């Protein structure tokens, strides 16, 4: 009898825990809450999640398989792209036939139906999505697409002759003073926020499978002269989203002060806005040249030291603003920067362990999302970049396939993720 009562009690606790995680995520100072209970998480980036169901029954089955796998391993918070913009012949990006907005103000119902399917499946599993509207970078169209639509010419592409970082910065910085560009992006955001899910009939604004909206993936002013207009644009979009959706949280999608050449005042100002509910940072040792070539192991102490300092100084800003902080992107290549599924992940696991431990030790860091879940997809041997018809994985089209993806077969990484996902809750 005692054993039966104990089992029943444990079952009731589990049910109560499950129930407590339903509802809208809210902010209470530097913490997230649901129905008054704390909400913290170890999550993943799953940028292509909304596209899988657009690939027919095979894509839907893959999506369900991967969501079940994530849930089993304690990952219930996913950061996902709403949709791509524009038609292109540039091969290193999301394919044009998967663009949500192929032309200004025209939207592909099939792509939105894919996002409907994802959100419905998340709801079934009591999982949450953070949805980012657009992108600073070309791999999903992003800001450069709006400039192209409005007569600014083709943006400099990283893998084309004549590209330079300075040229790209100059080009993208023009977005913040292009009124038509901004109006077109507003139209896109209004379209998404007015959506009713075609599967379950829920209005997006009423769907608690959505944790938060995110203005843009990795916003950057791109030029010092553009900082005032950049800040005004963030404020404009934040006010627009909150005027339509009162239920969901809103954040920026920022990498941190690296996005403004380490001018922390820019980062602080955009997150001090009353309509921005929490702060974000990204941590990219490879992209930020914390190690050279394949010397991950030799530079590991520097990687850890820099990552710790970066998180700590942004956490101070979050605490001063009395808002939560999320480390919503962080990643590291496989050992020796191999793209092979068979390569070891010793240093990646050590890096993940450090980030997860940083979250555990700092309650004001409300969550984190590793980059990125590659699921059951696999890199194609001898092929470096994505090509049309390939399976989507965590590495977008412009990045080496297998570079930062965590696949379902990376057992040591999943043991780590599952362990911390249990602890943080």
């Amino acid at each position: 009898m005692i054993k039966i009562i104990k089992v029943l009690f444990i079952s009731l606790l589990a049910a109560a825990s499950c129930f407590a995680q339903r509802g809208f995520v809210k902010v209470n100072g530097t913490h997230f809450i649901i129905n008054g209970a704390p909400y913290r998480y170890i999550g993943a980036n799953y940028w292509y999640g909304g596209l899988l169901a657009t690939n027919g029954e095979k894509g839907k089955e893959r999506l369900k398989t991967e969501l079940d796998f994530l849930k089993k391993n304690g990952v219930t918070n996913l950061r996902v792209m709403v949709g791509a913009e524009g038609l292109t012949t540039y091969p290193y990006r999301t394919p044009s036939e998967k663009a949500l907005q192929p032309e200004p103000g025209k939207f592909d119902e099939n792509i939105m139906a894919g996002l409907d399917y994802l959100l419905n499946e998340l709801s079934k599993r009591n999982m949450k999505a953070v949805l980012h509207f657009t992108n600073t970078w070309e791999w999903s169209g992003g800001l450069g697409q709006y400039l192209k639509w409005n007569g600014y010419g083709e943006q400099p592409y990283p893998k084309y002759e004549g590209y330079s970082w300075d040229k790209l910065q100059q080009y993208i910085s023009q977005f913040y003073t292009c009124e038509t560009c901004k109006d077109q992006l507003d139209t896109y955001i209004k379209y998404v926020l007015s959506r009713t899910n075609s599967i379950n009939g829920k209005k997006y604004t009423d769907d608690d499978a959505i944790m938060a909206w995110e203005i843009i993936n990795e916003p950057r002013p791109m030029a010092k002269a553009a900082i005032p207009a950049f800040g005004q644009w963030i404020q404009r979009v934040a006010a627009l989203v909150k005027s339509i959706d009162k239920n969901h949280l809103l954040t920026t999608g920022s990498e941190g002060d690296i996005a403004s050449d380490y001018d922390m005042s820019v980062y602080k100002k955009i997150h001090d806005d009353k309509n921005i509910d929490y702060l974000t940072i990204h941590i990219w040792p490879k992209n930020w040249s914390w190690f050279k070539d394949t010397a991950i192991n030799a530079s590991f102490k520097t990687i850890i030291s820099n990552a710790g300092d970066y998180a700590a100084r942004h956490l101070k800003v979050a605490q001063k603003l009395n808002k939560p902080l999320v480390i919503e992107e962080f990643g590291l290549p496989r050992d020796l920067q191999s793209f092979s599924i068979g390569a070891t992940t010793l240093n990646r696991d050590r890096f993940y362990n450090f980030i997860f431990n940083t979250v555990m030790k700092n309650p004001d860091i409300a969550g984190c999302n590793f980059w990125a879940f590659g699921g059951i997809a696999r890199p194609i041997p001898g092929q470096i970049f994505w090509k049309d018809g390939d399976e989507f994985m965590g590495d977008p089209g412009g990045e080496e396939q297998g570079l930062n993806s965590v696949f379902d077969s990376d057992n040591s990484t999943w043991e780590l993720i599952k362990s911390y996902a249990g602890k943080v809750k």
Side-chain angles (χ1 to χ4, degrees):
M1 178 63 73
I2 293 174
K3 185 176 181 180
I4 294 173
I5 292 172
K6 185 177 180 181
V7 170
L8 181 60
F9 178 69
I10 291 171
S11 298
L12 288 170
L13 279 179
S17 174
C18 181
F19 178 78
Q21 296 303 301
R22 293 201 179 274
F24 294 104
V25 181
K26 301 296 181 184
V27 166
N28 182 18
T30 54
H31 304 143
F32 292 138
I33 57 172
I34 297 180
N35 300 322
Y39 176 68
R40 299 185 81 206
Y41 59 87
I42 303 294
N45 278 271
Y46 194 43
W47 67 269
Y48 56 90
L51 296 177
L52 290 181
T54 67
N55 289 334
E57 289 304 314
K58 181 181 178 182
K60 290 177 181 178
E61 288 305 311
R62 176 185 169 184
L63 174 63
K64 290 187 285 187
T65 297
E66 292 183 345
L67 292 182
D68 287 343
F69 177 88
L70 288 164
K71 182 73 182 283
K72 179 182 176 181
N73 285 279
V75 175
T76 57
N77 186 288
L78 304 177
R79 182 168 174 260
V80 178
M81 175 184 74
V82 172
E85 296 119 324
L87 305 175
T88 184
T89 57
Y90 184 64
Y92 304 103
R93 61 155 282 184
T94 305
S96 292
E97 67 268 20
K98 297 294 185 182
L100 169 57
Q101 187 179 192
E103 300 176 39
K106 294 185 178 180
F107 303 98
D108 187 335
E109 170 64 24
N110 183 52
I111 303 301
M112 284 307 294
L115 190 58
D116 291 346
Y117 192 90
L118 170 66
L119 291 173
N120 189 57
E121 292 299 318
L122 290 177
S123 183
K124 289 180 183 178
R125 293 164 177 78
N126 196 15
M127 299 171 76
K128 304 286 185 188
V130 175
L131 301 172
H132 67 83
F133 290 113
T134 191
N135 203 341
T136 294
W137 313 115
E138 79 293 331
W139 59 263
S140 64
L143 301 187
Q145 184 62 63
Y146 292 95
L147 288 164
K148 180 181 178 180
W149 279 334
N150 287 282
Y152 288 78
E154 196 80 62
Q155 79 167 72
Y157 286 116
K159 292 178 176 59
Y160 279 0
E161 187 176 352
Y163 168 83
S164 74
W165 173 241
D166 286 344
K167 288 179 181 178
L168 179 64
Q169 285 184 299
Q170 181 186 12
Y171 183 85
I172 297 297
S173 69
Q174 298 173 103
F175 174 86
Y176 306 111
T177 53
C178 173
E179 293 303 319
T180 310
C181 298
K182 292 183 285 187
D183 288 344
Q184 288 171 347
L185 182 53
D186 286 353
T187 297
Y188 161 46
I189 291 171
K190 291 174 186 176
Y191 167 79
V192 174
L193 293 179
S194 67
R195 178 80 177 177
T196 296
N197 192 303
S198 59
I199 298 170
N200 57 32
K202 293 180 185 177
K203 293 181 178 179
Y204 273 26
T205 53
D206 294 334
D207 190 351
D208 64 5
I210 300 171
M211 169 182 147
W213 299 105
E214 193 167 280
I215 294 173
I216 180 172
N217 177 51
E218 301 192 336
R220 289 187 172 218
M222 288 296 203
K224 192 170 183 178
I227 289 174
F230 166 75
Q232 290 165 10
W233 175 70
I234 293 286
Q235 187 177 44
R236 163 183 170 153
V237 177
L240 172 64
V241 174
K242 286 293 189 174
S243 72
I244 299 170
D245 188 345
K246 308 294 185 185
N247 288 323
H248 293 108
L249 302 180
L250 178 67
T251 192
T252 61
S254 177
E255 302 155 89
D257 66 1
I258 195 170
S260 53
D261 294 325
Y262 299 103
D263 183 348
M264 185 64 86
S265 68
V266 177
Y267 177 80
K268 181 180 178 182
K269 185 172 182 179
I270 64 172
H271 290 97
D272 195 22
D273 187 289
K274 66 179 181 179
N275 291 312
I276 299 298
D277 295 299
Y278 65 96
L279 291 71
T280 65
I281 58 170
H282 300 178
I283 301 179
W284 283 108
K286 173 179 166 55
N287 298 1
W288 300 348
S289 301
W290 291 354
F291 66 90
K292 293 182 179 180
D293 301 320
T294 62
I296 302 172
N297 191 58
S299 302
F300 196 75
K301 287 184 179 179
T302 299
I303 291 170
I304 294 301
S305 176
N306 288 354
D309 289 346
Y310 198 77
R313 71 172 183 263
H314 289 85
L315 179 57
K316 287 181 180 178
V317 176
Q319 290 168 333
K320 189 168 185 179
L321 296 179
N322 195 34
K323 297 181 180 182
L325 175 69
V326 172
I327 307 174
E328 66 165 19
E329 277 191 27
F330 59 96
L332 200 69
R334 306 175 86 86
D335 293 334
L336 298 179
Q337 203 170 295
S338 173
F339 311 139
S340 169
I341 192 79
T344 57
T345 59
L346 175 63
N347 284 310
R348 176 188 288 172
D349 292 349
R350 292 167 68 199
F351 179 61
Y352 275 31
N353 185 71
F354 175 79
I355 297 294
F356 295 153
N357 205 31
T358 298
V359 174
M360 289 295 301
K361 292 189 298 184
N362 295 281
D364 295 339
I365 301 179
C368 65
N369 301 76
F370 67 86
W371 186 282
F373 184 46
I376 64 174
R378 295 292 185 266
I380 299 173
Q383 179 184 308
I384 302 301
F385 294 104
W386 189 91
K387 70 178 189 308
D388 193 15
D390 290 349
E391 290 283 354
F392 290 116
M393 61 184 69
D395 307 289
E399 296 180 357
E400 298 90 342
Q401 299 296 281
L403 179 67
N404 295 304
S405 287
V406 177
F407 300 101
D408 63 344
S409 58
D410 289 327
N411 295 329
S412 62
T413 308
W414 286 109
E415 288 175 10
L416 192 67
I417 291 168
K418 187 173 183 178
S419 173
Y420 275 100
K423 291 175 185 177
V424 81
K425 292 175 182 177

